Amino acid sequence: DAGVTQSPTHLIKTRGQHVTLRCSPISGHKSVSWYQQVLGQGPQFIFQYYEKEERGRGNFPDRFSARQFPNYSSELNVNALLLGDSALYLCASSVGTGTNQPQHFGDGTRLSIL
Amino acid sequence: AQSVTQPDIHITVSEGASLELRCNYSYGATPYLFWYVQSPGQGLQLLLKYFSGDTLVQGIKGFEAEFKRSQSSFNLRKPSVHWSDAAEYFCAVRGGSNYKLTFGKGTLLTVNP
């Protein structure tokens, strides 16, 4: 079975632009979470979606938004890009939102802002 | 608020030697604890998890971890390290009805031949 897939793998943008990152969860998984990993740090939680509804949001500005589609795939959107948005963006999926359900991660999208 | 501390930023061991990576967490009730491994340019792979029950949990690739409530610790161990274990290791906590994972800053493992 395919794992969590993310696209694109790499992306280069300039300040002020907008970006959309995509994630397809493991088949049968209904929950998707997004994390930002800045170089040298652990991942930081951005969003969790379940059944197309936002279930949780981390401490990120409103420039960050996301949505989940009926097939449970998800998009992360970032507007008005800043240099500090350069990071690895990770998507994780789980069967549901229960705390005893482990999250499985994709390989991420490396976003570079020039 | 929940938090995780990984005191060691970088550890170097020789191949075949034993390994222990430290993790301390902060959470008011019984936490759910995880160890993930990340190879360069890759995502995170789940090594093992603790939810309840036996405090010594076994994971993939020969890793194990022990939950010690009195010390708020969840240290990762492996009796004999292989060169392929070189990677970055992250400890994470998830508590109660909280949906998010909170990660430590990671420990980079270097394995010498």
Side-chain angles (χ1 to χ4, degrees), chain A residues 35 37 40-43 45 48 55-57 88 90 97-103 105-107, chain B residues 32 34 36 38 41-44 46 49 51 90 94-101 103-105:
Chain A
Y35 292 80
Q37 186 179 18
Q41 300 290 318
F45 173 77
Q48 185 187 58
R55 293 301 184 95
R57 183 184 185 117
L88 180 68
L90 295 164
T97 58
T99 49
N100 63 346
Q101 294 171 356
Q103 296 184 2
F105 285 80
D107 285 341
Chain B
Y32 297 91
F34 306 82
Y36 285 86
Q38 185 176 37
Q42 304 267 310
L44 301 171
L46 179 65
K49 59 187 182 293
F51 292 149
F90 292 94
R94 195 179 189 188
S97 60
N98 199 330
Y99 39 80
K100 68 175 184 179
L101 282 170
F103 287 86
K105 293 186 176 182

Side-chain angles (χ1 to χ4, degrees), chain A residues 11-12 29 31 34 36 47 54-55 64 101 107 109 112:
Chain A
L11 203 51
I12 299 174
H29 286 195
S31 177
W34 287 95
Q36 180 196 63
F47 286 111
E54 181 183 307
R55 293 301 184 95
F64 288 76
Q101 294 171 356
D107 285 341
T109 294
S112 298

Side-chain angles (χ1 to χ4, degrees), chain A residues 56-96:
Chain A
R57 183 184 185 117
N59 188 25
F60 281 81
D62 291 343
R63 299 185 296 108
F64 288 76
S65 63
R67 55 180 176 168
Q68 187 177 33
F69 299 99
N71 66 354
Y72 305 111
S73 66
S74 177
E75 285 182 353
L76 175 69
N77 296 283
V78 187
N79 293 323
L81 287 166
L82 303 173
L83 292 178
D85 296 330
S86 295
L88 180 68
Y89 288 84
L90 295 164
C91 174
S93 75
S94 57
V95 173

Side-chain angles (χ1 to χ4, degrees), chain B residues 18-84:
Chain B
S18 63
L19 172 70
E20 182 169 28
L21 302 182
R22 296 183 290 165
C23 171
N24 293 99
Y25 68 89
S26 174
Y27 182 68
T30 300
Y32 297 91
L33 295 160
F34 306 82
W35 275 99
Y36 285 86
V37 61
Q38 185 176 37
S39 298
Q42 304 267 310
L44 301 171
Q45 182 182 22
L46 179 65
L47 285 176
L48 49 77
K49 59 187 182 293
Y50 172 76
F51 292 149
S52 64
D54 193 348
T55 56
L56 184 63
V57 295
Q58 302 296 322
I60 63 171
K61 303 185 179 185
F63 285 93
E64 66 178 25
E66 186 172 13
F67 171 61
K68 293 185 177 180
R69 184 188 302 275
S70 62
Q71 299 177 18
S72 297
S73 69
F74 188 57
N75 294 348
L76 182 71
R77 300 194 295 248
K78 186 169 185 178
S80 178
V81 170
H82 188 261
W83 64 265
S84 61

